[in-house]
Amino acid sequence: MHPMINTAVKAARRASAIINRASFDLDRLQVTEKNHNDFVTEVDQAAEQAIIEVLRSAYPDHAILAEESGASANLHDENENVWIIDPLDGTTNFIHGFPQYCVSIALQQRGQITQAVVYDPSRNDLFTASKGAGAYLNEKRIRVTRRDRLADALVGTGFPFSNMDALDEYLKMFKIMTQKTAGLRRPGAAALDLAYVACGRLDGFFEKNLKPWDAAAGSLLITEAGGIVGTFAGESDYLYKGDIIAGNPKIFAQMVAHLSPFSR
């Protein structure tokens, strides 16, 4: 593996050790509601700090963009290397003991995601990708599915949980995609959903209003596994726009055809 991937894996495993220890005694967790239905725990914060310590030890000049602590002081200093971190994607799942959450770490270099790690501590699934070198699950090469009909596809999604102003729009999308696919799933951790598209557990995925740390690592996994990631209009500026469709090339195109009216 690329040296930077090795460092990111080390950081992800360090964070996961904190998460796993806490999972055995969830009743003692201190939970804070950042916004409506948007939770953070001391586990999120401790895991994020562990990741940052590992990354800064290896790359002290790199910038950081993390969900809980935000941007590092040098992020806007035209820094060519930015680590994008979600220490615990799926916090609501975690605090309820629902085993669908992960650690997500990506490296953005000169505006492009070049390294990605998504680690599922409950299943010990390690997804990794380096730009131009393929995507892997537990060191075995992965590819997106070859399914070519949306009607046969299993598609993941996310729906509004904090800002309910978007709920009506989502219900319209939900109706369309329920009618057009073999099934919709909403597991509740976007980074892991994207990893599932990369390894073929899902044929496609769509969600609006994601943050960069939700999608950065998963998007590279998908493109390195032969898939496509774009906005609802099929464009490439999804990372900071936040509206994402992903899938194998044929499923992606069909999803864009149905969901492009909801682009912004």
Side-chain angles (χ1 to χ4, degrees):
M1 286 192 290
H2 191 284
M4 288 183 172
I5 282 288
N6 285 331
T7 300
V9 168
K10 179 182 178 181
R13 291 193 184 280
R14 185 82 56 85
S16 294
I18 294 170
I19 294 167
N20 281 336
R21 284 197 299 271
S23 71
F24 291 112
D25 200 0
L26 292 174
D27 289 340
R28 297 183 63 184
L29 281 181
Q30 294 181 8
V31 180
T32 303
E33 191 172 24
K34 294 187 289 186
N35 296 296
H36 176 66
N37 287 342
D38 188 6
F39 302 102
V40 63
T41 72
E42 71 265 36
V43 176
D44 297 72
Q45 295 163 339
E48 182 172 290
Q49 187 57 39
I51 292 168
I52 291 172
E53 286 174 0
V54 171
L55 296 177
R56 281 188 170 154
S57 177
Y59 307 107
D61 296 330
H62 288 193
I64 301 286
L65 177 61
E67 179 177 14
E68 305 307 335
S69 58
S72 61
N74 62 337
L75 180 62
H76 302 295
D77 294 342
E78 298 182 358
N79 197 305
E80 294 182 352
N81 300 287
V82 181
W83 290 98
I84 304 176
I85 302 164
D86 192 336
L88 179 52
D89 187 30
T91 299
T92 301
N93 287 346
F94 174 73
I95 62 179
H96 287 86
F98 186 76
Q100 189 76 7
Y101 46 83
C102 67
V103 178
S104 178
I105 303 172
L107 177 64
Q108 185 179 54
Q109 295 182 292
R110 299 180 181 179
Q112 290 193 327
I113 305 299
T114 60
Q115 311 293 337
V117 170
V118 173
Y119 183 59
D120 176 351
S122 64
R123 296 175 181 82
N124 196 28
D125 277 348
L126 177 65
F127 298 86
T128 58
S130 294
K131 190 172 179 60
Y136 295 82
L137 168 55
N138 298 329
E139 301 186 2
K140 293 183 179 180
R141 187 74 179 262
I142 55 176
R143 301 287 297 180
V144 295
T145 64
R146 296 181 180 179
R147 198 161 279 114
D148 58 6
R149 295 178 67 247
L150 187 60
D152 299 325
L154 184 65
V155 173
T157 189
F159 48 72
F161 62 92
S162 180
N163 179 9
M164 294 302 167
D165 293 342
L167 186 58
D168 288 344
E169 180 185 50
Y170 176 78
L171 291 174
K172 294 176 183 178
M173 292 189 290
F174 182 86
K175 180 178 180 180
I176 291 170
M177 297 304 289
T178 298
Q179 293 171 331
K180 298 295 183 181
T181 65
L184 286 184
R185 299 292 182 266
R186 199 277 189 180
L192 199 52
D193 295 341
L194 293 168
Y196 280 13
V197 174
C199 73
R201 295 175 183 172
L202 291 171
D203 299 295
F205 175 82
F206 69 97
E207 187 167 354
K208 294 180 77 74
N209 299 315
L210 290 178
K211 300 297 184 182
W213 45 79
D214 296 317
S219 65
L220 183 64
L221 289 171
I222 291 171
T223 56
E224 287 298 318
I228 302 176
V229 184
T231 66
F232 276 45
E235 298 169 347
S236 61
D237 58 339
Y238 57 85
L239 191 60
Y240 290 93
K241 194 168 186 178
D243 296 351
I244 287 178
I245 293 176
N248 73 44
K250 291 185 178 179
I251 297 300
F252 174 85
Q254 292 169 66
M255 291 176 68
V256 168
H258 291 297
L259 295 175
S260 58
F262 299 95
S263 64
R264 55 178 178 172

